[in-house]
Amino acid sequence: MCRFTSSEKEDWKKLSDFLNIALPKGRLGEKVYKMFEKAGFECPSVLDDTRKLIFENPEKKLRYFWVKPSDVSIYVERGAAAIGIAGKDILLEYEPDVYELLDLNIGKCDMCVAAKKGFFDENRKTLRVATKFSNCAKRYYSAKGRDIDIIHLNGSIEIAPILGLSDVIVDIVETGTTLKENNLEVIEKIFPVSARLIANKSSFKFKTDMIENIAGHLEVKND
Ligand code: PRP
C-alpha cells in the first residue's frame, strides 16, 4: 500500500488545486502575461526581475511558469500545465495533441521562405533548406513536389545562405529587420502565425469552468 505523509498530501492537494499556466519566455511572454493580468488573472511577481521560473497567486489558485516558447506545447500536452500560450508555428511544427482554444491575435508574424537577394530557384537540383521548422518545411515543399535537403538548425538561421550552407531558409519573419540586416529577402509566405491559447485535453475536462472563464475573459480583452 502506498502511504503519503501529511505534508506530501498537502503538496499534492496544492498541486492539483492550482491551475498551471505555461508562459513562453522572451519577446511574446511579457505581452501574454499582461493580457492575463488585464483579464483579472494577475500574479504580480511574474514580472519580478529574478531568475525564478515559477510564480503563484494563492487567492486565485494560479501558478504561472516560464518555459522556452517551443516547449510550451510539451508541458501542456503532457499535463504539467493545464493551459499555455504557443505560437501557431510551434503548433504546426510539433502537432501536439492539445485543444487550441483561442487566437490571442498577438505575436503576429509569417512563416516564410527567404534567400539572398536575387536568388532564383532553377528547380534543377535539390534545394537546400535551413530551418528550425523542419516539419513545416517538409510539408510545404512536398505539396509543391520540390526535392529538398533539410538542414535543421536551432537559431540564427539567417547565416546559413550567407555562408553557403543552404540555398534558402524557412523561418518566421516579424518586422523583417533580421532579413534586411543580413541582405536576405522573403521569396514566399507559407502561413500567418499568431499566439494561441492551448489546453491539455484532460485538464480541460476536469477544470472546464476555470479554463473557459480564463478563455472568455481573454477573448473580451482581445476585441
Ligand atoms: C526569430 C526568427 C528570426 C527573427 C525574425 O528569431 O528566427 O531570426 O526572429 O524577427 P524579425 O523579422 O522581427 O527580425 P529569434 O529572435 O527567436 O532568435 P533565434 O535566431 O535564436 O531563433
Side-chain angles (χ1 to χ4, degrees), residues 27 132 154-156 158 171-178:
R27 54 173 137 176
K132 280 187 279 195
N154 296 303
S156 303
E158 290 82 359
D171 199 9
I172 51 167
V173 178
E174 189 179 353
T175 60
T177 309
T178 315

Side-chain angles (χ1 to χ4, degrees), residues 188-206:
E188 291 145 14
K189 285 190 180 171
I190 305 181
F191 56 80
V193 172
S194 57
R196 308 296 163 104
L197 177 68
I198 57 172
N200 171 270
K201 289 188 167 176
S202 71
S203 302
F204 187 75
K205 195 165 148 194
F206 293 109

Side-chain angles (χ1 to χ4, degrees), residues 39-171:
F41 305 99
E42 71 283 355
C43 177
S45 55
V46 168
L47 296 178
D48 285 355
D49 188 16
T50 67
R51 297 288 295 164
K52 256 183 82 168
L53 296 170
I54 303 183
F55 307 88
E56 291 179 354
N57 178 338
E59 283 110 72
K60 301 212 167 170
K61 299 254 185 283
L62 300 172
R63 180 181 298 110
Y64 287 95
F65 47 92
W66 293 115
V67 299
K68 267 190 85 154
S70 52
D71 290 341
V72 167
S73 64
I74 301 173
Y75 282 84
V76 174
E77 183 177 35
R78 291 177 174 263
I83 57 174
I85 283 77
K88 189 69 183 173
D89 50 340
I90 302 294
L91 299 178
L92 288 173
E93 177 64 17
Y94 298 106
E95 299 184 315
D97 188 18
V98 296
Y99 291 133
E100 194 182 307
L101 301 179
L102 192 63
D103 183 348
L104 296 178
N105 276 315
I106 58 169
K108 288 188 176 184
C109 51
D110 291 294
M111 184 66 71
C112 294
V113 179
K116 281 204 279 193
K117 284 195 174 142
F119 170 80
F120 178 68
D121 182 5
E122 292 173 41
N123 258 307
R124 278 184 309 175
K125 43 184 188 164
T126 303
L127 188 71
R128 296 168 307 150
V129 182
T131 187
K132 280 187 279 195
F133 300 94
S134 297
N135 294 325
C136 292
K138 277 181 204 159
R139 277 200 302 269
Y140 177 68
Y141 283 107
S142 147
K144 288 169 74 119
R146 181 74 174 94
D147 200 21
I148 59 161
D149 176 17
I150 290 277
I151 301 156
H152 189 91
L153 299 174
N154 296 303
S156 303
I157 316 294
E158 290 82 359
I159 293 174
I162 299 170
L163 297 183
L165 178 65
S166 75
D167 301 308
V168 300
I169 63 172
V170 166
D171 199 9

